[in-house]
Amino acid sequence: MKTVLVIGSGGREHAIVDALSRSPRVGKIYCAPGNAGIAAQAECVPIKDTDVSGLVEFASSHSVDLTVVGPEASLAAGVTDAFRASGLKIFGHSKAATRIESSKEFAKVLMEKYSIPTAAYRSFTDYDEALAYVSSRPLPAVLKYDGLAAGKGVVIAETLAEAQAALKDMLVGCSYGQGKVVVEDYLQGPEFSFMCFVDGSRVYPMPLAQDHKRAFDGDKGPNTGGMGAYTSLPFITSEDREFALSNILQRTADAMVAEGCPLSGVLYGGLMKTDGGVKVIEFNARFGDPETEVVLPLFEGDIYSLFEAVAGGVPAEQPLWSSDVTLGVVLASKGYPASYGKGFPIELPAEGKIYHMGTALSEGKCVTAGGRVLMCVARASSLKEALSEAYALVREVRCENLFYRNDIAHIALEQQ
Ligand code: AMP
Ligand code: GLY
């Protein structure tokens, strides 16, 4: 039986641990650092997800057969390169390949070179030049900080004054570190997430999902890490999906091989269906969160074997997916994505799929420990059923400091 280490501490990692626990080949699962929910299915070890040498040392000394990386921060810290250098098997891209997510400019240059459809752009380090360019283009302006900024590096400026303030912050104030900004054209249309397992030029697609980035109902309020997700998107036709698979995901995998930094892990396409066709909004080099919590429950087969094949660079069996629909609602701490309190006790129902996103154990009790705290997920043969089951589960959670959106999947349901 195999021993696996999962790196990360959120709902995405809980869903990965849950999928691995269904594999007949897996005997022992460790999670570093994990959370209170993961602790019920894996042994949590207190090593930070960016403590590369600590993770290598743990995997070597605990006979770990395979490590699966959740967060981009671990990949960008070079965890994969360090594991491989020590002869350890790991599912996740090299630091060089992770630039597809960690550098907006790298991704834009690649897309331009290989004709991968995306918004037109220019990049700047100089504030005056950036402002002159923005002033010459129609509003709104999309300003993207070039680097990992925990989902907070994108500003959609409706007015020139807003653009000016954001550019000042990114290029003069440098609130996130190094100063470089990608300015791109504003696109419109429904967004969706298309994740694939990728090993060099081998691409294994997962079911499509849609995230809900804004904090409040009706897509109002600030951008968050994602407040809910579901699979089965009626507004994306099979032609759209085929187009995205061959002209975006496959082409990107091939481009990364040609550039000498092949992908080995998950490629996440954050896509938009515009009037001019499907285009890339962003790439991520990892499983999406909360998309993974609705996608992996549909996986049919042995996920360990799939991770192992991708990590080892050998062909995998084509993954099979259930035709059921899943829907998940995120419960977040009041105040999120701005400041929020922690340590509120949580009481959970005995039954139902609830992934922990930001929880901890305090004196043996489960308490809130993050912005996004829990995700209640239901699976059914129709979206309507999945929706009512997921919200029934949400109403069974007892915690005084949580809020959630009431309209997950509204775009899909309005079309039915
Ligand atoms: P990103 O971090 O690149 O995914 O951007 C966060 C969010 O900003 C996206 O999910 C979109 O809703 C929005 N966004 C990013 N780029 C564009 C664009 N070119 N046009 C319109 N909206 C965008
Ligand atoms: N759900 C968006 C992300 O994982 O980046």
Side-chain angles (χ1 to χ4, degrees):
M1 293 292 266
K2 302 293 185 185
T3 298
V4 192
L5 168 65
V6 176
I7 300 175
S9 61
R12 164 182 57 206
E13 289 76 19
H14 195 176
I16 295 169
V17 165
D18 189 36
L20 280 164
S21 69
R22 293 194 294 273
S23 164
R25 296 182 62 201
V26 173
K28 171 85 187 170
I29 308 176
Y30 292 107
C31 188
N35 62 38
I38 293 174
Q41 284 174 285
E43 183 178 334
C44 294
V45 288
I47 308 173
K48 267 184 69 177
D49 58 14
T50 49
D51 177 2
V52 174
S53 54
L55 293 163
V56 168
E57 146 65 27
F58 180 86
S60 310
S61 58
H62 288 75
S63 309
V64 169
D65 295 295
L66 176 71
T67 297
V68 180
V69 188
E72 62 275 25
S74 312
L75 297 169
V79 71
T80 304
D81 311 74
F83 269 62
R84 292 199 181 130
S86 302
L88 295 163
K89 200 174 270 183
I90 186 160
F91 176 88
H93 310 291
S94 66
K95 190 171 175 173
T98 301
R99 285 177 298 165
I100 191 102
E101 168 168 8
S102 62
S103 167
K104 301 274 184 202
E105 196 190 16
F106 175 85
K108 292 301 273 191
V109 170
L110 187 91
M111 287 188 267
E112 190 167 53
K113 182 167 171 190
Y114 293 91
S115 308
I116 296 157
T118 188
Y121 82 105
R122 291 239 342 243
S123 62
F124 299 92
T125 49
D126 183 78
Y127 168 77
D128 292 316
E129 285 175 23
L131 190 61
Y133 177 72
V134 170
S135 311
S136 73
R137 310 284 301 174
L139 289 165
V142 181
L143 314 174
K144 298 188 174 182
Y145 176 75
D146 187 38
L148 294 174
K152 290 171 192 147
V154 177
V155 172
I156 311 233
E158 307 279 345
T159 65
L160 208 51
E162 268 179 67
Q164 197 164 0
L167 287 174
K168 206 163 234 163
D169 188 34
M170 291 173 178
L171 291 173
V172 184
C174 296
S175 32
Y176 310 105
Q178 146 220 19
K180 194 177 233 181
V181 169
V182 168
V183 180
E184 63 178 45
D185 287 355
Y186 179 74
L187 301 177
Q188 274 177 295
E191 286 180 63
F192 63 104
S193 310
F194 195 168
M195 300 190 285
C196 295
F197 296 93
V198 182
D199 161 28
S201 279
R202 287 188 277 265
V203 173
Y204 309 95
M206 303 186 215
L208 304 179
Q210 191 181 45
D211 186 8
H212 296 64
K213 293 226 161 94
R214 303 296 199 99
F216 309 128
D217 287 0
D219 295 320
K220 301 272 185 338
N223 255 319
T224 70
M227 294 297 294
Y230 64 101
T231 60
S232 164
L233 313 180
F235 48 89
I236 303 301
T237 63
S238 53
E239 289 77 23
D240 294 331
R241 184 184 172 282
E242 283 313 308
F243 175 87
L245 184 56
S246 42
N247 297 294
I248 296 178
L249 282 309
Q250 181 68 55
R251 197 175 288 175
T252 302
D254 294 340
M256 292 296 276
V257 171
E259 292 295 309
C261 43
L263 294 168
S264 168
V266 172
L267 177 62
Y268 167 123
L271 310 181
M272 188 185 269
K273 181 176 172 169
T274 73
D275 288 344
V278 177
K279 295 191 177 170
V280 177
I281 292 291
E282 66 162 348
F283 280 124
N284 291 326
R286 47 158 179 94
F287 282 110
D289 194 352
E291 290 91 334
T292 304
E293 293 92 310
V294 292
V295 167
L296 285 189
L298 298 175
F299 182 80
E300 291 185 339
D302 171 24
I303 202 140
Y304 181 87
S305 298
L306 178 56
F307 284 142
E308 182 186 47
V310 171
V314 296
E317 271 179 43
Q318 198 53 237
L320 296 176
W321 302 92
S322 162
S323 58
D324 280 354
V325 179
T326 44
L327 183 144
V329 182
V330 171
L331 292 93
S333 294
K334 286 178 186 164
Y336 173 78
S339 63
Y340 52 83
K342 289 184 188 178
F344 291 85
I346 308 168
E347 271 180 57
L348 294 172
E351 300 283 316
K353 201 177 259 314
I354 300 184
Y355 290 125
H356 291 229
M357 305 182 91
T359 64
L361 288 171
S362 169
E363 292 164 8
K365 295 225 158 66
C366 183
V367 298
T368 64
R372 293 185 297 171
V373 176
L374 300 167
M375 183 161 178
C376 294
V377 176
R379 170 179 171 166
S381 55
S382 75
L383 190 57
K384 278 206 171 111
E385 272 175 89
L387 179 101
S388 76
E389 284 175 29
Y391 278 103
L393 196 54
V394 167
R395 287 189 290 272
E396 286 184 57
V397 175
R398 299 274 166 270
C399 179
E400 64 180 77
N401 199 46
L402 298 180
F403 78 99
Y404 56 89
R405 278 183 60 162
N406 295 284
D407 63 347
I408 300 307
H410 68 98
I411 298 177
L413 291 164
E414 278 154 18
Q415 296 206 351
Q416 286 188 350

